[in-house]
């Protein structure tokens, strides 16, 4: 019962946040009437509600984790453009084409290996002689892709508010904040990697109870 109430609260807060973000987006389109802003924000937030409903429906039907599938679809939207740009090098620079292709293949294989890798913790029975080796399979990458999702969401969240709240336009160091958060800069990439490492440790301790293992 408590988990159901928590899920309802999270969904309610998500819709409220979507309405707030939609309202801030109206500042870019010079919509002055408050009534029009509310109407547009409501319809944009409706899309968020439909996404939440679709995510729950996918999970309930046993297809998979609905949230993860929708996130994967969103991330995969740029894959076609990425491969299209890579194949453009086939006619201009074949060395760069094969280099990028091998790099992507290496990243894919490494990701699968790290994701499936497990550390076998042996189980020792003091008063039992067993020929079968029992062990606890502890995944090396316990968090999965959750740290990357959290980091990307947090980065996009801050970038949205910095670009849409008028308060930040008055700051003289706004560009420095954007450089620190944006992944298109070297400083932003370092910050992005540090956040991934931080969330990896955080989610690992949340998922795995070390007291149960010890």
């Amino acid at each position: 019962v408590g988990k159901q109430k928590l899920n309802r609260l999270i969904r309610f807060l998500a819709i409220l946040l979507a309405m707030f973000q939609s309202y801030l987006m109206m500042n870019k389109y010079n919509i002055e009437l408050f009534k029009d802003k509310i109407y547009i924000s409501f319809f944009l937030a409706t899309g968020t509600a439909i996404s939440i409903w679709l995510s729950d429906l996918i999970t309930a039907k046993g297809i998979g984790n609905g949230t993860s599938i929708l996130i994967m679809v969103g991330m995969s939207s740029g894959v076609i453009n990425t491969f299209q740009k890579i194949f453009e090098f086939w006619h201009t620079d074949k060395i760069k084409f094969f280099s990028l292709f091998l790099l992507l293949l290496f990243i894919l294989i490494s990701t699968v290996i790290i994701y499936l890798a497990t550390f076998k913790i042996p189980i020792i029975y003091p008063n039992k002689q067993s020929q079968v080796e029992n062990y606890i399979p502890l995944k090396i990458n316990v968090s999965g892709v959750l740290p990357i999702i959290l980091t990307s969401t947090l980065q996009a969240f801050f970038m949205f508010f910095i670009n849409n709240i008028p308060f930040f336009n008055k700051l003289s160091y706004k560009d420095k904040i954007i450089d620190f958060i944006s992944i298109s800069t070297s400083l932003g990439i370092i910050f992005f990697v540090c956040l991934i490492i931080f969330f990896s440790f955080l989610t690992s301790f949340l998922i795995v109870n070390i007291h149960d293992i010890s």
Side-chain angles (χ1 to χ4, degrees), residues 46-186:
T46 303
T48 302
I50 293 174
S51 299
I52 295 174
W53 169 77
L54 185 61
S55 171
D56 292 339
L57 185 63
I58 293 173
T59 304
K61 294 296 182 180
I63 300 174
N65 190 308
T67 305
S68 299
I69 291 176
L70 292 182
I71 292 174
M72 183 195 68
V73 171
M75 290 182 174
S76 302
S77 60
V79 172
I80 297 177
N81 293 330
T82 302
F83 279 103
Q84 184 178 1
K85 292 180 180 179
I86 292 176
F87 279 104
E88 288 177 357
F89 291 112
W90 174 259
H91 302 287
T92 58
D93 192 346
K94 287 185 172 58
I95 296 177
K96 184 176 290 187
F97 169 79
F98 284 109
S99 299
L100 290 173
F101 180 78
L102 292 176
L103 178 62
L104 290 176
L105 185 63
F106 172 76
I107 293 174
L108 177 62
I109 295 174
S110 301
T111 303
V112 173
I113 292 175
I114 294 174
Y115 183 77
L116 297 178
T118 57
F119 179 74
K120 297 181 180 180
I121 302 176
I123 302 176
I124 301 175
Y125 300 96
N127 298 324
K128 183 178 179 181
Q129 298 293 332
S130 177
Q131 300 295 330
V132 180
E133 182 181 358
N134 297 322
Y135 59 87
I136 300 175
L138 180 63
K139 295 186 67 174
I140 295 178
N141 183 23
V142 180
S143 305
V145 296
L146 186 59
I148 300 177
I149 294 174
L150 290 174
T151 304
S152 301
T153 304
L154 192 64
Q155 184 260 351
F157 181 81
F158 282 117
M159 286 294 294
F160 177 84
F161 279 95
I162 290 174
N163 292 323
N164 289 277
I165 294 180
F167 168 77
F168 289 99
N169 295 328
K170 301 177 182 179
L171 299 178
S172 58
Y173 49 88
K174 176 185 176 181
D175 294 335
K176 294 182 179 179
I177 297 176
I178 294 176
D179 291 339
F180 185 75
I181 297 176
S182 176
I183 198 174
S184 59
T185 62
S186 57

Side-chain angles (χ1 to χ4, degrees), residues 22 24-32 40 44 164:
S22 303
L24 292 178
M25 287 176 61
M26 298 303 103
N27 296 326
K28 287 187 174 182
Y29 300 100
N30 297 323
I31 299 176
E32 298 180 356
I40 297 174
L44 290 176
N164 289 277

